[in-house]
Amino acid sequence: MNRVVISGLGVISPVGCVVKEFWTALVEARSGIGPLSLVPTERLTTRIAAQCLDFDASRHFDEKRLIQLDRFAQFAVVAARQAMRDAGLELTEELALNSATIIGNGAGGQCTVDESYLKFYGQNSPRIHPLTIPRWMGNAAVSQVSMDLGLKGPAYTITSACASGTHAIGHAFQLVRTGQAPIAVAGGAEAPLTVGSIKCWEALRVLSTDTCRPFSKTRSGMVLGEGAAMMVLETRERALARGAGIYAEILGFGMSADAGDITALDPDGAARAMHAALSDAKADPAEIDYVNAHGTGTPLNDRAETQALRKAFGASADTLAVSSSKAVLGHVMGAAGALEAAATALALKHQTIPPTANYQEADPDCDLDFVPNVARAAPIRKAMSNSFAFGGLNAVLVLGAP
Amino acid sequence: MAVADEVTAIISKSLKIPVEQLTPDKRLDDLGAESLDVIEILFELEEKFDIAITVKANDLAPSKASDGSAKEAQFSTIGDLTAEVERLVAAKAAQ
């Protein structure tokens, strides 16, 4: 079995479209949540979101190419290009033939669906753009990334709502570990900020009107976000041989299903996924110094995740540093796990724990060290990144210092 | 049908409990309603009366206050919910 490392990162995020800006914002607890401006708000009550306002598609694609790409696929391709450039990998034809592309997204081209339906149902247009289906399909992002980079090995989309990105990285890790692919580009992408899909989220009554305050007593719900994160995974042997920079090693991956409620997180199911990841990593709970939590900022999730962490970590839960990146990034759905795995890898590389931003007041139901508002330099040997999806699908990664 | 009867009918249909058992003092959680059930009931009521009931899923379940004491859920009883719907229907009629 190969050891697998992360040798390249790329991000499109509400706090910047460059890894350095992304990491700085996380460390400085600078939130990317702001007034919703990408879509008309007359028919919405939502006024805030975490939008990638710095992203300018025309800088990356010519018109001909852009016409094929929904916003989520644009994010995916640009982040993947960044990750490949960052890894400095020379993709020979032989390497390309077996290289994997595994991407997670909760839905497909949501902007395309919204625009097309508005035109067809709302404006009675008799026609729909001929490339609507290629833009909209669930696998649009992974196909566009494989086309753009010329990756010709295993390629598929994983969809598990808010755990999609984590499942994708986990599966890519398994492909490289077992030697089925020499390298993999893996991550998540989502562009869910359309009037139609925001309206659907409002109906579920879980969106905050204030901001995202994970684990804080005053938390009031989640905030939708958009973006993508991609990483290059390769064997540690290859990375060392070519003198590549390494962010972190992927040590283990664990999954579980709650097989219970469609929306509420089950602490037992979440703890089982953490156990599975620890066991896969052959790591003791006491070796984990930092957990990047799912931490959505809804009262129910954060309470249940706290219980799950206590269950999985036992006595060492009290010395564990836990933070959620969602106060800074919003909840980027299928990309959330990928952005947070990137944050976790950067935490290991920089030996710095990014804080939980927007934290105001301790909650007796959430009684762990949530690293409120201020980053902490601390030795991090191993770290965990948690994703728990609607539908009870849980995915957990364990990463190690490079 | 009076507003209160409509509310009871909608709850009865959602929770599959005969209307006779749905007295105003009954707590929704005691009747087995989970957060998603209550969200669906609120949606049915909004559709029926063309009103907007502003409450978040968060506030539909009991929680703990900062001092550790129990904090009551919003609309914990059928009576609470009926009163809110009656208020909103009256406010709409007055417009």
Side-chain angles (χ1 to χ4, degrees), chain A residues 12-372:
Chain A
I12 301 298
S13 85
V15 286
C17 302
V18 183
V19 170
K20 193 169 182 288
E21 290 175 14
F22 167 78
W23 176 241
T24 306
L26 285 168
V27 169
E28 292 176 356
R30 196 154 25 80
S31 180
I33 294 167
L36 176 60
S37 61
L38 281 175
V39 294
T41 54
E42 295 89 61
R43 303 210 45 205
L44 301 173
T45 53
T46 302
R47 291 290 177 271
I48 52 169
Q51 307 157 99
C52 299
L53 298 174
D54 288 350
F55 182 78
D56 177 3
S58 67
R59 279 184 48 220
H60 305 283
F61 306 101
D62 62 29
E63 261 175 59
K64 184 86 185 143
R65 185 77 206 286
L66 207 47
I67 219 159
Q68 289 186 16
L69 296 164
D70 184 88
R71 187 168 170 89
F72 95 113
Q74 296 167 20
F75 290 166
V77 170
V78 177
R81 285 178 184 169
Q82 265 182 47
M84 275 301 265
R85 217 170 25 243
D86 187 36
L89 251 174
E90 195 195 332
L91 203 63
T92 60
E93 184 58 21
E94 193 202 344
L95 191 57
L97 279 174
N98 298 305
S99 294
T101 320
I102 317 292
I103 292 177
N105 39 265
Q110 296 180 73
C111 299
T112 302
V113 179
D114 207 65
E115 284 160 21
S116 311
Y117 283 1
L118 173 65
K119 225 178 142 197
F120 185 65
Y121 294 132
Q123 298 162 349
N124 278 325
S125 163
R127 274 173 304 277
I128 288 291
H129 192 279
L131 291 181
T132 301
I133 291 293
R135 279 202 300 248
W136 163 5
M137 59 192 188
N139 60 312
V142 77
S143 295
Q144 292 290 349
V145 169
S146 90
M147 286 159 56
D148 198 82
L149 299 178
L151 305 168
K152 298 179 178 174
Y156 51 92
T157 297
I158 293 186
T159 184
S160 53
C162 313
S164 306
T166 311
H167 273 113
I169 294 166
H171 278 258
F173 159 63
Q174 291 173 337
L175 288 174
V176 177
R177 180 162 68 170
T178 54
Q180 292 174 79
I183 72 158
V185 172
E190 202 87 70
L193 299 177
T194 70
V195 175
S197 51
I198 295 171
K199 191 73 195 167
C200 294
W201 277 101
E202 285 180 358
L204 203 49
R205 300 175 187 257
V206 292
L207 296 183
S208 171
T209 50
D210 164 26
T211 189
C212 178
R213 304 186 187 282
F215 302 108
S216 174
K217 173 76 202 153
T218 52
R219 66 193 183 277
S220 53
M222 51 185 266
V223 175
L224 295 174
E226 59 167 4
M230 295 292 152
M231 46 182 71
V232 174
L233 309 187
E234 61 183 301
T235 62
R236 184 165 179 272
E237 201 181 359
R238 175 188 297 275
L240 291 176
R242 65 186 189 87
I246 295 175
Y247 288 94
E249 179 171 357
I250 302 187
L251 301 172
F253 173 49
M255 300 176 269
S256 72
D258 294 345
D261 195 90
I262 188 67
T263 56
L265 170 62
D266 171 22
D268 183 58
R272 283 189 292 113
M274 288 188 245
H275 272 304
L278 287 168
S279 157
D280 190 42
K282 296 183 177 60
D284 191 75
E287 292 175 80
I288 306 289
D289 296 309
Y290 168 59
V291 175
N292 187 294
H294 187 57
T296 58
T298 66
L300 280 175
N301 175 86
D302 295 1
R303 188 164 66 222
E305 187 169 7
T306 303
Q307 290 164 10
L309 283 161
R310 288 216 167 272
K311 214 169 196 163
F313 282 86
S316 59
D318 287 316
T319 53
L320 197 61
V322 180
S323 69
S324 166
S325 302
K326 288 188 174 72
V328 171
L329 305 174
H331 193 339
V332 196
M333 311 280 115
L339 285 157
E340 290 157 17
T344 309
L346 288 160
L348 282 157
K349 181 180 163 65
H350 295 288
Q351 292 288 295
T352 300
I353 296 168
T356 301
N358 295 335
Y359 189 92
Q360 288 180 320
E361 192 185 328
D363 178 350
D365 283 333
C366 301
D367 55 351
L368 296 168
D369 173 9
F370 294 111
V371 196

Side-chain angles (χ1 to χ4, degrees), chain B residues 38-56:
Chain B
V38 182
I39 288 172
E40 281 179 41
I41 290 168
L42 294 178
F43 171 74
E44 295 295 338
L45 292 169
E46 288 183 333
E47 285 278 277
K48 177 82 201 172
F49 297 106
D50 191 23
I51 53 174
I53 306 171
T54 48
V55 60
K56 287 204 277 187

